[in-house]
Amino acid sequence: MLWVFLTVAAVGLFWLGYRNPYRRRWLLPRRVAPRSTTTAAVDRQHRHLLAGGRLGETAVTATAAHFKELLRGGRVVEVERELQPGVGFAVQVRALASVGTPEAGKLLERQLARKLTPDPVEQTWYWADVAAGLRHLRHTIALPAVLRCVDAAAGLPAGTVLAAEAVAFPNFATALRDLRSPLGRAALRAVATVCRGCRDGTIDPACMLRAGLGDLLANLSESAPPDPDPWLTAAVVEVERVFRRLGRWADHLDDDLRSAAENQGVRLFLSSAHRTEWLRGAAERLLARFPAASTDEQAATLRCAYEFRADVTHLFPHLPDPRSPWWADAVRCLTWSKSPAAGPVLAAQASRWLGSHRGRPRLPHLLAALRGHPCAEAESVLLRAAFGTDPDTRRAATASLGWWPPHDPAAVMRALRVLRTDTDADTRGAAVSALARLGERAALAELSAGLCAEEPAVQHATIARVAADGVSWLWPDLQELAESGDRETALAASEAAAQLREQALGLTG
């Protein structure tokens, strides 16, 4: 019976070793599959195209002639067999789109259901190629399939490009007629994704304005029913953000497009009063429906509530249940809780998890939420966590310091200056930003130097960092850069200034 006992014990130990989500496994470490060279090449190819690059026209023409001959002979299967993943896929899709026959459109539509690669980024680029081809063919019947792919690629930069292709479909507006239908919900998500992509530079606003984005957004905000729908709310929020930025975008457009952009801006202006009133009651409507909503809807509601800085304390009189799939979103919303008890409660839970392996993966969410609670308990636990052994914990704690005048200025400044030399680059950056928020001259000078860097990548990364980290001391520097002669720099700086304004005044300010 000894061998039975040893077998049961071994199985039990194995199960215990795998049931907790430790960052490092002590049994059978998993191999991380390296990214394939094909995926990297396809990603580089499409980034080149986004930057204004072109496909080889000779190759497209020759491939189109070849496909046209095959399709004329009814050899559709052979054409489909030749559509293989790789850098040549974009050329083949462009060639099929130039053929221009209904058979070519149907063949391309079928590619949306094919899994060409296990890599989600590479697959999304292929979907974007196909969507562009279908749009060129005006094969509008494929829009629902394209929107399903957009949902599958949510969260990826390539997914933003795919969403832009969907929104540019000539019949996209029809998908927004029934906002309660699955197709309408998917269309709303695509609209919000595209608006965010225009703001963060993933999508060129000029391309979307040429496709009539402003008119589409004006129609949406004028017809939006006062429903407690988080997907509609997220879309209307993005409409308001685009309206506030459209004037700045128009300054950097060519003359032939500027008048169209100004007309779209006028339409958005005429709907602004209705939109502002709609947004004022949106958070209250969403939170009232929260208890009866589905899990997905609750998660989307909490993401909207965070945008509105709504107080969700009444939904969670105690801390949210860690077993809930939207636990992290709920804790993030507690950043804006107005209850004087919220800060000490969050700090006490974070303190308990500081010494617990089980709570370590969730700890950064609690520490991030403490930035909105200027109490001594929050400051104390943040200082402890900032010198922990886990880099994610240190990074989150450091990033939550400096958002309010310290209770113990000497201790906080001393800790941040030490963390400025941390081995983790992100923690070092968070420490510099925290010091800059507190007005330390050396930290502000470091960020100012990044804003003036000659290397565009460094300059743009610093612009985004100033906005994300709320370094409002450098707001005048951003406004000066927004007048730069370089279009990309000016747009990035004006977006960063708009984000700082929103942080200070809120969505409706």
Side-chain angles (χ1 to χ4, degrees):
M1 296 298 291
L2 179 60
W3 67 272
V4 175
F5 172 77
L6 292 175
T7 302
V8 172
V11 170
L13 289 172
F14 188 86
W15 177 75
L16 286 172
Y18 271 79
R19 67 188 294 265
N20 291 326
Y22 295 149
R23 191 167 293 278
R24 184 182 294 277
R25 304 290 187 184
W26 59 274
L27 289 173
L28 302 180
R30 298 177 182 176
R31 293 183 178 180
V32 177
R35 203 175 187 196
S36 72
T37 55
T38 302
T39 299
V42 169
D43 193 47
R44 285 196 303 272
Q45 177 195 40
H46 286 83
R47 292 184 183 280
H48 167 71
L49 294 174
L50 279 177
R54 298 173 63 87
L55 288 173
E57 295 301 324
T58 303
V60 171
T61 303
T63 306
H66 171 59
F67 284 164
K68 190 178 294 185
E69 186 67 26
L70 292 177
L71 291 172
R72 189 180 295 119
R75 298 153 69 183
V76 178
V77 175
E78 292 185 34
V79 176
E80 194 156 8
R81 191 180 300 126
E82 291 191 23
L83 292 173
Q84 294 298 323
V87 292
F89 187 83
V91 173
Q92 293 173 324
V93 169
R94 185 77 61 85
L96 266 177
S98 68
V99 170
T101 62
E103 291 81 4
K106 293 175 183 176
L107 196 156
L108 279 177
E109 184 180 359
R110 288 199 295 273
Q111 306 315 302
L112 295 173
R114 283 182 66 191
K115 186 174 182 180
L116 294 165
T117 172
D119 186 272
V121 174
E122 186 182 352
Q123 179 66 64
T124 303
W125 284 128
Y126 296 146
W127 283 335
D129 290 333
V130 173
L134 291 167
R135 181 172 57 82
H136 177 79
L137 285 168
R138 301 186 71 83
H139 191 77
T140 56
I141 197 173
L143 179 59
V146 173
L147 286 172
R148 285 194 293 271
C149 294
V150 171
D151 276 345
L156 297 173
T160 304
V161 178
L162 176 58
E165 292 290 350
V167 172
F169 261 62
N171 64 327
F172 182 81
T174 62
L176 294 171
R177 288 177 181 170
D178 184 3
L179 299 178
R180 296 181 180 88
S181 68
L183 182 64
R185 295 283 179 87
L188 286 172
R189 289 190 287 268
V191 166
T193 299
V194 168
C195 292
R196 285 191 290 267
C198 289
R199 292 193 294 108
D200 65 22
T202 305
I203 302 296
D204 185 358
C207 296
M208 300 312 302
L209 291 173
R210 185 173 284 109
L213 177 65
D215 290 328
L216 180 75
L217 298 181
N219 289 336
L220 176 61
S221 61
E222 288 167 356
S223 61
D227 292 344
D229 183 338
W231 295 283
L232 174 59
T233 303
V236 176
V237 165
E238 291 302 329
V239 172
E240 180 64 19
R241 285 171 167 158
V242 167
F243 167 64
R244 295 181 180 186
R245 290 154 174 80
L246 192 54
R248 178 63 67 178
W249 292 351
D251 292 340
H252 299 280
L253 296 175
D254 296 333
D255 293 338
D256 62 331
L257 185 56
R258 188 173 301 161
S259 60
E262 289 172 353
N263 290 336
Q264 293 177 38
V266 169
R267 284 213 57 200
L268 285 169
F269 172 75
L270 294 175
S271 63
S272 60
H274 174 264
R275 188 168 54 251
T276 300
E277 186 62 28
W278 195 97
L279 288 171
R280 276 204 186 97
E284 185 178 347
R285 291 193 298 268
L286 290 173
L287 296 181
R289 176 173 163 72
F290 183 86
S294 65
T295 300
D296 289 345
E297 188 177 344
Q298 286 178 332
T301 293
L302 290 170
R303 288 191 289 271
C304 288
Y306 181 81
E307 296 282 355
F308 284 104
R309 300 191 177 189
D311 189 349
V312 299
T313 312
H314 65 285
L315 295 178
F316 311 107
H318 307 288
L319 285 179
D321 185 350
R323 295 169 297 180
S324 301
W326 36 256
W327 179 88
D329 290 313
V331 168
R332 190 170 71 134
C333 283
L334 289 174
T335 303
W336 314 122
S337 173
K338 297 179 176 63
S339 170
V345 169
L346 288 167
Q349 182 61 60
S351 181
R352 285 192 291 273
W353 280 357
L354 268 174
S356 166
H357 287 296
R358 185 183 297 276
R360 183 179 297 171
R362 298 178 180 272
L363 183 56
H365 298 289
L366 285 175
L367 297 174
L370 286 175
R371 82 172 212 187
H373 300 280
C375 59
E377 294 89 344
E379 184 174 292
S380 175
V381 77
L382 288 173
L383 289 173
R384 282 177 54 204
F387 291 97
T389 57
D390 179 60
D392 290 341
T393 299
R394 290 203 310 276
R395 192 179 310 130
T398 305
S400 290
L401 289 168
W403 291 94
W404 67 80
H407 293 269
D408 187 346
V412 170
M413 298 298 285
R414 184 168 56 250
L416 288 173
R417 284 169 180 150
V418 171
L419 290 164
R420 195 175 182 175
T421 62
D422 194 88
T423 55
D424 178 66
D426 290 335
T427 302
R428 292 197 301 272
V432 171
S433 295
L435 287 167
R437 283 194 295 272
L438 293 172
E440 193 208 48
R441 291 185 179 180
L444 288 169
E446 181 176 330
L447 291 175
S448 294
L451 293 176
C452 300
E454 295 183 1
E455 179 62 40
V458 174
Q459 185 183 46
H460 293 173
T462 307
I463 289 172
R465 178 179 165 190
V466 167
D469 292 349
V471 186
S472 55
W473 290 94
L474 296 177
W475 196 333
D477 302 66
L478 292 176
Q479 291 179 318
E480 183 176 345
L481 281 174
E483 305 300 327
S484 168
D486 179 72
R487 178 176 181 270
E488 299 299 325
T489 300
L491 287 175
S494 63
E495 171 60 27
Q499 289 182 26
L500 287 179
R501 179 183 182 276
E502 192 174 292
Q503 289 174 17
L505 302 178
L507 278 173
T508 56

